[in-house]
Amino acid sequence: VGVIAPFLEEAGAQQRLIAFAGDHVGGEFASQSPILRCRACWFAGRVSRTLGEAPQTGLLAHYLRAVVALHKDPCLPVSFRACLALRSLCADGGHSALRPDVSDVVVPVLQEVLDDHFRLMDVVEADDLVGCLDSMIHIFSSRLAPYADAMARRLASHLLRLVQAPAHKGGE
């Protein structure tokens, strides 16, 4: 369903997609199975536009809380997918606009979210994470002043680690 979500949105089936998201996916964030938690995060990213257009359902807030909690998941693919999903859930129509209903959920734990993101970047070298961090900086730019010094140090440390790392074999 997540793969065809954009087509369902265009076809006017948002209500069915929202019902599916609430009835069948919402509980998977707490599943014992890491693959189900990971897929729930992936699905959240895919249906973020629909969830954002229906704030009265409360699903966006539920998905946000679940995705933020999964940033600390011990399973690496789950925490990676949660980082990517958070970007989609927070953005409204692009990389730089914050959805109005996101502030109440994410801003109080923004420092933790950024720390989790940097922790993940230290473990996984992925362009998607860098792009996600870039988007999060744009989305939350007006709220980052208290964290700017620590973020600059973390970014500098990460850059130095990458520069000092031995070059990959095979010209990569």
Side-chain angles (χ1 to χ4, degrees), residues 90-153:
C90 290
D92 187 17
H95 293 295
S96 59
L98 177 66
R99 290 184 202 272
D101 42 349
V102 168
S103 293
D104 294 341
V105 177
V106 179
V107 171
V109 293
L110 187 57
Q111 178 66 49
E112 292 175 44
V113 167
L114 293 171
D115 287 344
D116 292 337
H117 195 89
F118 278 112
R119 177 192 49 80
L120 193 58
M121 283 179 63
D122 288 341
V123 177
V124 178
E125 292 182 21
D127 290 340
D128 287 341
L129 284 176
V130 174
C132 185
L133 180 62
D134 180 52
S135 295
M136 296 300 281
I137 289 170
H138 287 288
I139 292 167
F140 293 102
S141 60
S142 65
R143 293 163 175 88
L144 289 177
Y147 319 117
D149 185 47
M151 281 183 58
R153 280 192 234 144

Side-chain angles (χ1 to χ4, degrees), residues 12-84:
Q14 290 93 340
Q15 292 305 319
R16 289 184 180 161
L17 191 56
I18 289 169
F20 181 83
D23 295 343
H24 300 289
V25 180
E28 300 305 329
F29 290 108
S31 172
Q32 293 294 320
S33 171
I35 189 69
L36 292 178
R37 293 191 309 272
C38 189
R39 293 304 274 176
C41 289
W42 173 82
F43 183 80
R46 297 290 295 187
V47 299
S48 61
R49 188 175 84 196
T50 298
L51 295 177
E53 292 172 357
Q56 71 280 5
T57 64
L59 276 177
L60 179 62
H62 169 69
Y63 273 43
L64 279 166
R65 283 194 236 33
V67 164
V68 166
L70 289 176
H71 270 82
K72 295 183 185 316
D73 196 279
C75 181
L76 189 60
V78 175
S79 58
F80 177 80
R81 191 52 70 180
C83 279
L84 299 182

